[in-house]
Every structure is written in structure tokens, then in C-alpha cells.
Amino acid sequence: MRSNVFLLYAARGVRGFGDGFAIIILPAYLTALGFDPIQIGFVATASLLGTSLLTLAIGFIAPRHDLRTLLLLGAGLMACTGLAFPNFEHLAVIAVIAFVGTVNPSAGDIGVLVPLEHATLARGVPDNERTRAFARYSLIGALATAAGALAAALPDFLVLAGIGKLGAFKLMFYAYAALGLVSAALYRRLPHVVMDEAAPSAPLGPSRGVVYKLAALFSLDSFAGGFTVQSLMALWLFERFELSLSAASVFFFWSSVFAAFSYPVAAWLAQRIGLINTMVYTHIPSSIFLILAAFSPNLWVALALLLVRSALSQMDVPTRTSYVMAVVTPAERTAAASVTAVPRGLAASISPAMAGVLLTTSFSGLPLVVCGVLKIVYDVALLFSFRHVKPPEEQRGSVSLNDAKS
């Protein structure tokens, strides 16, 4: 079982590396094709919307199918996405590829493979190890994403070597396709697992109420986050401060590193103050730093504030995932991961297009302000709704999960 966990960690790292450069390359590639911020925001919205619908489908069919097979299909889709992007230059076709593909502009924990990996990982660890396991999973993914962000500078070097700019971007997408094949090779070594504990007609059972309430709150958080998905954040830095692609890759590398090392800190903190408190009390300060970054007088101040934000903003990732896996039965885990992820993805799919319009206003930092304010509202609502609902490892005189579900 431990070897299966290591395979999931490795696959998460491979995917993270691909996402790390793809989400930076994508807006630069679209800009090179002549698209404006509004059109790029439209592509980002298509990507998030398609990701959400595919994730919803996976979450509800997974309890009755082999998780290993579904993981392999997801890795195949990743390879096809990398092959398709470089071969089309019409906006409508690119939007369709973004809709059905796996390149996610948010670089976050949503995607067709995420609920499958979460359910598989949760099966392999006990309750008292669950948060640490997800912290390691998130750490590996973030470090790999950081390395991928650094690799996004490769097109600049390829151009110096004599390759055209568009050709260099296309080679990066082919590399993304190759990483999809590497992921498939890792998934092939996993055992066959069917979540046959779930009733075929009810992927969600006793935990339905808690899952829907969490999904509603998470959707508000993701709607806010959609205003500053990494692709659009890169675009803001490109246009507001004329940041180069190479400099952007270095910044997003360190941003991902800061986020990565916050995950084990989040697991340590959660053992002392609880999962919900860790999510809220680290998230609110990060939103404040994001708002301040919008008013930065120069590039260096903006980057410094955004790096501090990165060190705090993702500490809710392993804690949120661990909490969701704790409040449901094992048979409900894939559906719960999907149902809590999909509204987030759908909500996040709306805001990038809105952010693209806001970026064209006289105050281009407005998307950052909107994001920060909405995230603070989410944090207060989450604390108020779930501060007394504890996972199994925290239940000492608090509301039980079974009571909460009823």
C-alpha cells in the first residue's frame, strides 16, 4: 500500500511540472498569436468550465469503475491536450481544446485526475496520518509546479538558439504531452480498485448535506480565485510592469516554492489548532497581502507582497482536502471530492473572463482587490459554519460528524 502512495506522489509531481510551465506558456502563446486580454480570459473560462464538467462526471462514475482505468484515461487526455494546442491557431478551436483538455489556468487542486488521486490516497492512510499524507501530496505537487514554472523560461533560450517564438512555445506543449505519457506509465503500476462499497444509485449518501454546504462555500472561494488565476496573474505582471517571460518564470518558481513549504507547516498547525482554524487564520492575511499588491507602486513591492501571499494562501489546500475526506464515508470519497471541486471549478470559470475585462480598465489591479475581498467573506462564512464540526481525530466534546450530517 505504501508503494501505491509513492506512485501517486510521483504522478502528482509529473503533472505538477507540466502544469507549472503550461499555465505560463499558454497566455504568452496566445499573446504571440495576437489575442487580447479579453480573448485570453475567454479561453481561461472555457478551460475552467470544461475541467469542472469533466471532474463532475468522473466523481459520479468513479464509485462503479476501476480507479486505475480512469486515471489512465485522464493521463491520456493530458497527452492529447499537449498534442492539440500547438496545431491550431483559431480562437474558437483553442477554446474547445481548453474546454476538453487538462491545461488548467489556476494551477490549483482542481482537474479530472484530482478526485481520483484523492480517493486513492485517502484509502491508503489512517485518519491520524491523513492530513500529513495530503500535505506531502500537495508539497510534491507544488515543488514540481515550481520547477515547471522555472522551465517556462526555456522558450527564451530556444529563441536565442534560432527557433522561432511560436515554434518554441509549441515544443513546450509537446513536452506537456510527453509528461502525460509518463503519468500513464506510473498509473499503470497501481492496483485495480473499484469503490464497490457505494450504492450504484447514490454516490453521495449520509454525508450529502455537509458536502453540499462545503461545496457552496468552496465555490465562493474559487469564484474569488478566478479573478487571479495564475495565467491572468502572469498577464497582469506582463502588462502592468512589463515583466519578461524569463523573469515571470523565476517569480512563479519561488511563488510555488513558498506555497509548497507551507503545506507541512499547515499539517503541523492543524494538529494544534484544527483543520478549519488553520484554513481560515492563514487565508485571511494572504488576502490582505493580495489587496495591497494591487496598489503597489513598483514591480519589486508587488512581487514581495505576492510572495508573502504565496506563503500563506495555499495552506488551506491539504487541510481542506483532508477535511473533506474526513467528513464522508470511504465509498463517498470520489463523489465528495468531485462535488466539492466542481462548483469551485464552475464558479472559477466565470470570473477569469470578468477579470480579463477588468484588466483593461484604468486600474488594472482591480481583479486582485475583488479577489481578496471575496476570499475574506468566504473565510468568515467557513469559520462560522464549521468551527464546531470536527474530523475524527479532533472529536473531543465537539459536534460529531454524524450529527452534522443529520
Side-chain angles (χ1 to χ4, degrees), residues 152-238:
L154 284 175
D156 284 347
F157 295 99
L158 293 174
V159 169
L160 292 175
I163 298 175
K165 180 178 286 188
L166 284 178
F169 287 145
K170 291 179 179 182
L171 286 176
M172 297 300 292
F173 284 116
Y174 290 135
Y176 181 84
L179 292 173
L181 297 178
V182 174
S183 298
L186 292 168
Y187 292 140
R188 271 184 61 87
R189 299 180 61 185
L190 292 171
H192 294 275
V193 175
V194 178
M195 307 287 286
D196 54 7
E197 303 99 327
S201 61
L204 278 178
S207 310
R208 185 182 295 111
V210 169
V211 171
Y212 289 162
K213 186 183 294 186
L214 286 170
L217 288 170
F218 292 166
S219 66
L220 174 59
D221 179 45
S222 287
F223 174 75
F227 284 92
T228 56
V229 291
Q230 195 157 316
S231 291
L232 293 180
M233 185 65 77
L235 184 62
W236 178 67
L237 291 171
F238 292 154

Side-chain angles (χ1 to χ4, degrees), residues 15 19 23 26 42-60 74 77-78 81 85 95-115 176 222 229 337-350 352:
R15 290 197 301 106
D19 289 339
I23 56 180
L26 181 58
F42 174 73
V43 172
T45 289
S47 175
L48 288 168
L49 180 61
T51 295
S52 299
L53 295 177
L54 285 174
T55 302
L56 180 63
I58 284 292
F60 280 95
L77 181 60
M78 179 179 174
T81 302
F85 262 122
V96 171
I97 296 170
F99 182 86
V100 301
T102 58
V103 173
N104 191 327
S106 68
D109 57 339
I110 59 175
V112 67
L113 289 163
V114 170
Y176 181 84
S222 287
V229 291
S338 175
V339 168
T340 54
V342 167
R344 289 171 28 223
L346 290 173
S349 70
I350 301 170

Side-chain angles (χ1 to χ4, degrees), residues 308-376:
V308 175
R309 182 230 179 189
S310 297
L312 296 171
S313 65
Q314 299 299 302
M315 291 179 74
D316 68 323
V317 171
T319 47
R320 180 180 61 216
T321 304
S322 179
Y323 189 80
V324 172
M325 294 296 100
V327 302
V328 301
T329 63
E332 296 174 291
R333 281 172 173 161
T334 51
S338 175
V339 168
T340 54
V342 167
R344 289 171 28 223
L346 290 173
S349 70
I350 301 170
S351 38
M354 299 169 64
V357 175
L358 295 178
L359 283 172
T360 64
T361 64
S362 59
F363 177 46
S364 63
L366 189 56
L368 283 68
V369 175
V370 173
C371 174
V373 171
L374 290 177
K375 279 182 174 289
I376 291 173

Side-chain angles (χ1 to χ4, degrees), residues 1-14 117 120-121 124-125 133 136-137 140 186-187 189-191:
M1 188 66 73
R2 184 173 293 274
S3 63
N4 297 336
V5 171
F6 289 153
L7 286 172
L8 287 170
Y9 287 163
R12 180 66 187 93
V14 169
E117 290 183 345
T120 306
L121 180 57
V125 294
R136 288 189 289 268
Y137 170 88
I140 291 167
L186 292 168
Y187 292 140
R189 299 180 61 185
L190 292 171

